[in-house]
Amino acid sequence: MSPPVDIVQSDPVLPSRAGIVVIGGGIIGTSTALFLAEKGHSVVLCEKGRIGAEQSSRNWGWCRTMGRDAREIPLAIESLHLWRGMNQRINRDTGFRQPGIAYLCETEKEVATQEAWLAEARQYQVDARLLRGSAIDALVPGASTMFVAAMHTPTDGRAEPSQAAPAIAEAARAAGAAILTECAVRGIETQGGRVSGVVTERGRIACDSVVLAGGAWSRLFCGNAGIDLPQLKVLGSVFRTAPLSGGPEVTAGGSVFAFSKRRDGGYTIARRNANVADITPDSFRLLLQYLPTLRQNYGEIRLRIGRRFLEEWGTRRTWSLDQATPFEAMRVLDPAPKQATLEEARVALSRAFPVFARMQVAEGWGGLIDVTPDAVPVIGEVAAIPGFFLATGFSGHGFGIGPGAGRLAADLVAGDTPIVDPAPFRFSRFTEGRRQAA
């Protein structure tokens, strides 16, 4: 079942020309369009389905600096700064608030892991601290009976996935961007080796630059353009509850659960460290690049082979730009959640906090997460096709750093000073080691 998402109506007319075309209407694409439009650029955002209908509305809503890969921390800090002022900036409600986020530790081994992260992250002046004893109960009443410590970041926050990307898209339109839904981009055109336009299912748009923020679809799109983007899809499962009184305000996760309070008084709940990776043909094509990640995260990723293998085996990987594409055949990825995983989360959370034993599950859903080999996104230009930029591979971290990532992508396209150092997100990092070995 798809989660509820605010509807954004499409502009009726396909522009014949724009300075920049953004492909993908999730949190990354809409943020990129907003910041480009604010810079005064001519922007068209093309979404094959509905704004925010895929992973941008299916995530937990966490906007965090805590626990991130060190390469992402500067971007997360800038993004959190943007989140804090976003409602005022766009004159719309993204649902953002700052209840803080806590990681609850059951063992001293888990505490050591959090302390190691904090030691590395202190160089960025992160607002995280380790709590023990009664200080944990102040966050989550009764937590100290089961948890030995908690890593807490009081300034981390949460936004509403059903509202955020649509609100930002409407703000981008108010700033001058065209927003086209149900309008798949079939591919890019080049002239003299650089981007000269895109071909959509509704016609051609001449442009100087393209930003691909296609989430789980990005590898397929890139492949048709002759670019090998290493990216696989992982299934995350989530459920929401009916309004529940007496529950904690803080957003928190333990080793096997995660919860956050919604604006409607219910909770978004998931099973942590148990995403499902369906084995597909790409799993074999990219096996060597993903082996280190699989080893490092052994036990946290559940491999599965089933219908998705045959579905992706039967999906066309190349097409001409006058042909209908897989993007038109599947407007919205709406995978079924793994019910057993959701039940594990429900049972574990109810055992840890009795208040959740009386929760009523309202609905559950699945979402396909775009994952790179090092679980860090790609944000930057593709050297082989000047004018073609990627903003993808956010590996389940994209919602929280969406505004910062959109600002960084906009800075790079515009040739402005980037909000953070873009080097950790360069596309070329996936081939640099292989070139040196050769």
Side-chain angles (χ1 to χ4, degrees):
M1 173 180 274
S2 296
V5 186
D6 291 352
I7 300 299
V8 176
Q9 299 296 329
S10 179
D11 289 345
V13 178
L14 182 87
S16 61
R17 176 162 185 87
I20 302 135
V21 172
V22 177
I23 304 171
I27 192 72
I28 309 300
T30 56
S31 296
T32 302
L34 171 66
F35 290 112
L36 283 169
E38 285 186 349
K39 290 173 180 285
H41 293 275
S42 169
V43 184
V44 176
L45 184 149
C46 295
E47 164 55 48
K48 64 179 176 56
R50 304 189 306 274
I51 297 297
E54 294 189 334
Q55 187 56 22
S56 289
S57 61
R58 297 163 187 264
N59 62 84
W60 305 350
W62 293 20
C63 304
R64 63 181 172 88
T65 56
M66 188 170 64
R68 289 195 178 271
D69 185 292
R71 290 167 288 183
E72 287 186 355
I73 292 175
L75 188 60
I77 291 170
E78 294 296 338
S79 194
L80 196 56
H81 175 74
L82 291 168
W83 273 120
R84 291 187 189 112
M86 186 61 73
N87 289 351
Q88 183 176 5
R89 183 186 203 115
I90 67 176
N91 197 30
R92 290 164 177 83
D93 187 11
T94 64
F96 179 76
R97 57 203 184 280
Q98 289 182 276
I101 296 178
Y103 287 156
L104 303 171
C105 304
E106 294 182 54
T107 67
E108 291 298 334
K109 183 178 179 181
E110 291 176 21
V111 174
T113 298
Q114 296 299 335
E115 288 179 325
W117 176 83
L118 185 57
E120 185 175 19
R122 278 199 179 100
Q123 62 182 303
Y124 302 107
Q125 291 80 51
V126 296
D127 184 31
R129 63 205 68 174
L130 191 69
L131 306 178
R132 290 184 181 269
S134 61
I136 311 175
D137 292 325
L139 286 178
V140 186
S144 65
T145 61
M146 186 170 181
F147 301 96
V148 298
M151 183 69 79
H152 180 222
T153 307
T155 53
D156 277 355
R158 186 188 188 282
E160 294 292 328
S162 63
Q163 298 175 232
I168 293 170
E170 294 286 15
R173 175 153 49 200
I179 307 294
L180 304 176
T181 62
E182 301 283 327
C183 183
V185 175
R186 293 175 171 176
I188 56 177
E189 291 185 326
T190 60
Q191 186 173 358
R194 67 167 294 117
V195 166
S196 61
V198 300
V199 175
T200 79
E201 62 181 295
R202 291 167 53 182
R204 183 179 186 273
I205 304 173
C207 63
D208 301 313
S209 301
V210 171
V211 180
L212 176 62
W217 295 94
S218 297
R219 173 170 168 80
L220 187 63
F221 186 97
C222 284
N224 193 58
I227 300 164
D228 186 17
L229 170 67
Q231 180 179 285
L232 293 176
K233 299 186 264 308
V234 172
L235 173 69
S237 299
V238 182
F239 71 89
R240 71 175 181 90
T241 75
L244 178 67
S245 61
E249 293 294 327
V250 70
T251 296
S255 60
V256 294
F257 63 78
F259 64 83
S260 53
K261 191 171 185 179
R262 302 163 64 96
R263 290 280 288 274
D264 63 7
Y267 285 81
T268 296
I269 295 171
R271 166 69 156 91
R272 283 192 76 201
N273 304 321
N275 289 331
V276 174
D278 282 290
I279 296 173
T280 67
D282 273 343
S283 303
F284 296 98
R285 297 181 185 113
L286 298 171
L287 179 61
L288 291 179
Q289 294 186 64
Y290 280 84
L291 269 178
T293 298
L294 286 172
R295 293 193 187 103
Q296 183 179 351
N297 296 283
Y298 180 77
E300 296 181 6
I301 299 174
R302 301 179 177 184
L303 299 178
R304 179 178 70 177
I305 188 164
R307 186 175 62 184
R308 184 164 293 280
F309 185 96
L310 296 177
E311 289 175 351
E312 296 204 10
W313 182 267
T315 299
R316 278 187 302 153
R317 299 177 64 208
T318 59
W319 53 85
S320 61
L321 301 190
D322 60 355
Q323 293 178 310
T325 67
F327 314 123
E328 293 148 80
M330 177 67 72
R331 296 289 180 182
V332 176
L333 284 170
D334 188 22
K338 189 175 180 183
Q339 293 296 339
T341 300
L342 296 182
E343 180 63 11
E344 289 175 17
R346 188 192 67 78
V347 170
L349 187 55
S350 299
R351 184 184 302 122
F353 303 108
V355 66
F356 286 104
R358 53 187 175 83
M359 64 182 159
Q360 296 179 337
V361 178
E363 63 179 340
W365 56 80
L368 289 180
I369 301 165
D370 46 321
V371 179
T372 62
D374 58 6
V376 171
V378 180
I379 308 172
E381 190 170 22
V382 178
I385 307 178
F388 184 48
F389 294 78
L390 299 176
T392 189
F394 284 83
S395 306
H397 315 154
F399 184 80
I401 56 173
R407 170 66 186 275
L408 177 59
D411 289 344
L412 295 174
V413 173
D416 296 336
T417 301
I419 190 172
V420 298
D421 180 8
F425 312 113
R426 66 195 182 281
F427 175 56
S428 61
R429 72 183 189 269
F430 298 119
T431 57
E432 287 166 356
R434 281 182 276 171
R435 283 202 302 266
Q436 291 171 4

